[in-house]
Short mmCIF file of all heavy atoms in Angstrom, two decimals:
data_model
loop_
_atom_site.label_atom_id
_atom_site.label_comp_id
_atom_site.label_asym_id
_atom_site.label_seq_id
_atom_site.Cartn_x
_atom_site.Cartn_y
_atom_site.Cartn_z
N GLY A 1 -171.53 202.27 142.25
CA GLY A 1 -170.46 201.49 142.64
C GLY A 1 -170.93 199.95 142.59
O GLY A 1 -170.10 199.06 142.61
N GLN A 2 -172.24 199.78 142.65
CA GLN A 2 -172.83 198.45 142.52
C GLN A 2 -173.20 198.21 141.14
O GLN A 2 -173.40 199.14 140.29
CB GLN A 2 -173.96 198.18 143.60
CG GLN A 2 -173.48 198.45 145.03
CD GLN A 2 -174.57 198.26 146.04
OE1 GLN A 2 -175.40 199.00 146.14
NE2 GLN A 2 -174.44 197.11 146.77
N ARG A 3 -173.57 196.93 140.84
CA ARG A 3 -173.75 196.50 139.45
C ARG A 3 -174.90 195.42 139.36
O ARG A 3 -174.99 194.55 140.21
CB ARG A 3 -172.55 195.89 138.89
CG ARG A 3 -172.66 195.26 137.50
CD ARG A 3 -171.32 194.68 137.11
NE ARG A 3 -170.39 195.67 136.75
CZ ARG A 3 -169.01 195.59 137.03
NH1 ARG A 3 -168.46 194.46 137.52
NH2 ARG A 3 -168.24 196.60 136.66
N CYS A 4 -175.90 195.67 138.41
CA CYS A 4 -176.89 194.76 138.16
C CYS A 4 -176.87 194.24 136.66
O CYS A 4 -176.73 195.20 135.82
CB CYS A 4 -178.31 195.44 138.47
SG CYS A 4 -179.68 194.38 138.08
N VAL A 5 -177.05 193.08 136.42
CA VAL A 5 -177.12 192.53 135.09
C VAL A 5 -178.52 192.01 134.80
O VAL A 5 -179.10 191.32 135.68
CB VAL A 5 -175.99 191.27 134.93
CG1 VAL A 5 -176.29 190.66 133.56
CG2 VAL A 5 -174.71 191.89 134.96
N VAL A 6 -179.03 192.28 133.57
CA VAL A 6 -180.34 191.98 133.16
C VAL A 6 -180.18 191.19 131.92
O VAL A 6 -179.51 191.54 130.91
CB VAL A 6 -181.27 193.26 132.97
CG1 VAL A 6 -182.59 192.75 132.62
CG2 VAL A 6 -181.22 194.13 134.17
N ILE A 7 -180.89 190.04 131.82
CA ILE A 7 -180.91 189.21 130.63
C ILE A 7 -181.98 189.59 129.72
O ILE A 7 -183.16 189.70 130.05
CB ILE A 7 -181.13 187.72 131.04
CG1 ILE A 7 -180.11 187.22 132.06
CG2 ILE A 7 -181.02 186.83 129.77
CD1 ILE A 7 -178.68 187.24 131.70
N LEU A 8 -181.56 190.00 128.48
CA LEU A 8 -182.43 190.29 127.35
C LEU A 8 -182.58 188.99 126.46
O LEU A 8 -181.59 188.85 125.67
CB LEU A 8 -181.99 191.52 126.58
CG LEU A 8 -181.75 192.78 127.38
CD1 LEU A 8 -181.46 193.99 126.37
CD2 LEU A 8 -182.94 193.17 128.28
N PRO A 9 -183.66 188.35 126.52
CA PRO A 9 -183.61 186.92 125.84
C PRO A 9 -183.61 186.96 124.34
O PRO A 9 -183.02 186.01 123.72
CB PRO A 9 -184.93 186.30 126.48
CG PRO A 9 -185.30 187.09 127.57
CD PRO A 9 -184.85 188.48 127.38
N ASP A 10 -184.39 187.89 123.69
CA ASP A 10 -184.49 187.69 122.22
C ASP A 10 -184.64 189.08 121.57
O ASP A 10 -184.75 190.10 122.29
CB ASP A 10 -185.51 186.69 121.83
CG ASP A 10 -186.89 187.27 122.01
OD1 ASP A 10 -187.14 188.20 122.71
OD2 ASP A 10 -187.88 186.48 121.57
N SER A 11 -184.66 189.00 120.28
CA SER A 11 -184.78 190.27 119.49
C SER A 11 -186.21 190.63 119.02
O SER A 11 -187.13 189.89 119.15
CB SER A 11 -183.97 190.14 118.23
OG SER A 11 -184.53 189.35 117.29
N VAL A 12 -186.33 191.82 118.49
CA VAL A 12 -187.59 192.34 117.98
C VAL A 12 -188.01 191.63 116.61
O VAL A 12 -189.17 191.73 116.27
CB VAL A 12 -187.48 193.88 117.70
CG1 VAL A 12 -186.74 194.14 116.54
CG2 VAL A 12 -188.87 194.54 117.64
N ARG A 13 -187.15 190.88 116.08
CA ARG A 13 -187.46 190.25 114.81
C ARG A 13 -188.63 189.40 114.89
O ARG A 13 -189.52 189.41 113.82
CB ARG A 13 -186.20 189.29 114.40
CG ARG A 13 -186.49 188.51 113.11
CD ARG A 13 -185.47 187.41 113.01
NE ARG A 13 -185.76 186.34 113.99
CZ ARG A 13 -184.90 185.34 114.29
NH1 ARG A 13 -183.78 185.25 113.58
NH2 ARG A 13 -185.20 184.44 115.16
N ASN A 14 -188.93 188.69 115.91
CA ASN A 14 -190.06 187.84 116.03
C ASN A 14 -191.40 188.57 116.37
O ASN A 14 -192.44 187.87 116.36
CB ASN A 14 -189.85 186.84 117.11
CG ASN A 14 -188.76 185.74 116.67
OD1 ASN A 14 -188.58 185.56 115.50
ND2 ASN A 14 -188.07 185.22 117.62
N TYR A 15 -191.37 189.90 116.54
CA TYR A 15 -192.55 190.55 116.99
C TYR A 15 -192.87 191.82 116.10
O TYR A 15 -193.43 192.79 116.63
CB TYR A 15 -192.43 191.02 118.41
CG TYR A 15 -191.95 189.81 119.15
CD1 TYR A 15 -190.49 189.78 119.64
CD2 TYR A 15 -192.59 188.70 119.59
CE1 TYR A 15 -189.98 188.68 120.39
CE2 TYR A 15 -192.19 187.64 120.32
CZ TYR A 15 -190.82 187.68 120.69
OH TYR A 15 -190.36 186.58 121.33
N MET A 16 -192.36 191.84 114.92
CA MET A 16 -192.55 193.00 113.98
C MET A 16 -193.98 193.35 113.88
O MET A 16 -194.40 194.64 113.73
CB MET A 16 -191.86 192.74 112.70
CG MET A 16 -190.46 192.40 112.72
SD MET A 16 -189.39 193.85 113.39
CE MET A 16 -189.28 194.85 111.93
N SER A 17 -194.89 192.41 113.87
CA SER A 17 -196.26 192.61 113.65
C SER A 17 -197.07 192.79 114.99
O SER A 17 -198.24 192.97 115.01
CB SER A 17 -196.92 191.54 112.84
OG SER A 17 -196.81 190.30 113.50
N LYS A 18 -196.37 192.72 116.01
CA LYS A 18 -196.99 192.77 117.33
C LYS A 18 -196.57 194.10 118.05
O LYS A 18 -196.96 195.16 117.64
CB LYS A 18 -196.58 191.61 118.15
CG LYS A 18 -197.24 190.24 117.77
CD LYS A 18 -197.24 189.16 118.75
CE LYS A 18 -198.15 188.12 118.33
NZ LYS A 18 -198.29 187.10 119.47
N PHE A 19 -195.86 194.08 119.17
CA PHE A 19 -195.75 195.31 119.99
C PHE A 19 -194.97 196.39 119.27
O PHE A 19 -195.02 197.53 119.73
CB PHE A 19 -195.09 194.94 121.33
CG PHE A 19 -193.54 194.82 121.35
CD1 PHE A 19 -192.68 195.84 121.41
CD2 PHE A 19 -193.00 193.55 121.09
CE1 PHE A 19 -191.33 195.67 121.47
CE2 PHE A 19 -191.64 193.30 121.16
CZ PHE A 19 -190.77 194.51 121.25
N LEU A 20 -194.25 196.11 118.14
CA LEU A 20 -193.70 197.17 117.46
C LEU A 20 -194.59 198.06 116.71
O LEU A 20 -194.38 199.23 116.26
CB LEU A 20 -192.64 196.58 116.47
CG LEU A 20 -191.41 197.54 116.13
CD1 LEU A 20 -190.57 197.82 117.35
CD2 LEU A 20 -190.51 196.81 115.13
N SER A 21 -195.89 197.55 116.50
CA SER A 21 -196.92 198.28 115.81
C SER A 21 -197.79 199.00 116.79
O SER A 21 -198.33 198.56 117.72
CB SER A 21 -197.78 197.14 115.11
OG SER A 21 -199.03 197.73 114.76
N ASP A 22 -198.01 200.31 116.42
CA ASP A 22 -198.83 201.19 117.24
C ASP A 22 -200.28 200.73 117.20
O ASP A 22 -200.99 200.74 118.16
CB ASP A 22 -198.77 202.65 116.70
CG ASP A 22 -197.54 203.36 117.09
OD1 ASP A 22 -196.87 202.90 118.06
OD2 ASP A 22 -197.27 204.36 116.45
N ASP A 23 -200.70 200.20 116.08
CA ASP A 23 -202.03 199.63 115.94
C ASP A 23 -202.21 198.55 116.94
O ASP A 23 -203.27 198.44 117.64
CB ASP A 23 -202.40 199.21 114.54
CG ASP A 23 -202.56 200.36 113.58
OD1 ASP A 23 -202.73 201.50 114.06
OD2 ASP A 23 -202.64 200.18 112.39
N TRP A 24 -201.33 197.57 116.87
CA TRP A 24 -201.42 196.40 117.77
C TRP A 24 -201.43 196.84 119.23
O TRP A 24 -202.25 196.34 120.03
CB TRP A 24 -200.27 195.50 117.53
CG TRP A 24 -200.24 194.10 118.17
CD1 TRP A 24 -200.86 193.02 117.66
CD2 TRP A 24 -199.79 193.78 119.48
NE1 TRP A 24 -200.62 191.97 118.54
CE2 TRP A 24 -200.05 192.48 119.69
CE3 TRP A 24 -199.16 194.47 120.49
CZ2 TRP A 24 -199.71 191.73 120.90
CZ3 TRP A 24 -198.72 193.86 121.65
CH2 TRP A 24 -199.03 192.51 121.80
N MET A 25 -200.59 197.72 119.60
CA MET A 25 -200.48 198.24 120.98
C MET A 25 -201.83 198.99 121.40
O MET A 25 -202.35 198.76 122.51
CB MET A 25 -199.30 199.20 121.15
CG MET A 25 -197.97 198.54 121.18
SD MET A 25 -197.52 197.61 122.50
CE MET A 25 -197.08 199.03 123.68
N SER A 26 -202.34 199.79 120.49
CA SER A 26 -203.63 200.52 120.76
C SER A 26 -204.71 199.62 120.92
O SER A 26 -205.62 199.87 121.83
CB SER A 26 -203.78 201.46 119.61
OG SER A 26 -204.96 202.27 119.84
N GLN A 27 -204.84 198.71 120.10
CA GLN A 27 -205.97 197.70 120.23
C GLN A 27 -206.02 197.00 121.62
O GLN A 27 -207.10 196.68 122.05
CB GLN A 27 -205.81 196.53 119.08
CG GLN A 27 -205.99 196.99 117.64
CD GLN A 27 -205.54 195.97 116.72
OE1 GLN A 27 -205.28 194.88 117.01
NE2 GLN A 27 -205.38 196.33 115.50
N ARG A 28 -204.90 196.93 122.24
CA ARG A 28 -204.82 196.19 123.54
C ARG A 28 -204.70 197.24 124.64
O ARG A 28 -204.54 196.75 125.81
CB ARG A 28 -203.65 195.25 123.58
CG ARG A 28 -204.01 194.03 122.62
CD ARG A 28 -202.69 193.40 122.18
NE ARG A 28 -203.08 192.31 121.22
CZ ARG A 28 -203.37 192.49 119.88
NH1 ARG A 28 -203.36 193.62 119.39
NH2 ARG A 28 -203.60 191.36 119.26
#
């Protein structure tokens, strides 16, 4: 019955070579 709003600032477009990549995630 209660409500919480969360702001999602931007899209995955700017990070295709970053966190979307398993290799990039695994390296870190």
Side-chain angles (χ1 to χ4, degrees):
Q2 294 182 291
R3 176 180 287 146
C4 175
V5 170
V6 184
I7 306 298
L8 304 188
D10 71 351
S11 80
V12 74
R13 178 195 67 193
N14 291 332
Y15 315 103
M16 301 295 283
S17 62
K18 289 199 167 187
F19 78 87
L20 208 60
S21 161
D22 283 344
D23 285 349
W24 189 91
M25 290 283 285
S26 180
Q27 288 166 15
R28 292 154 180 80

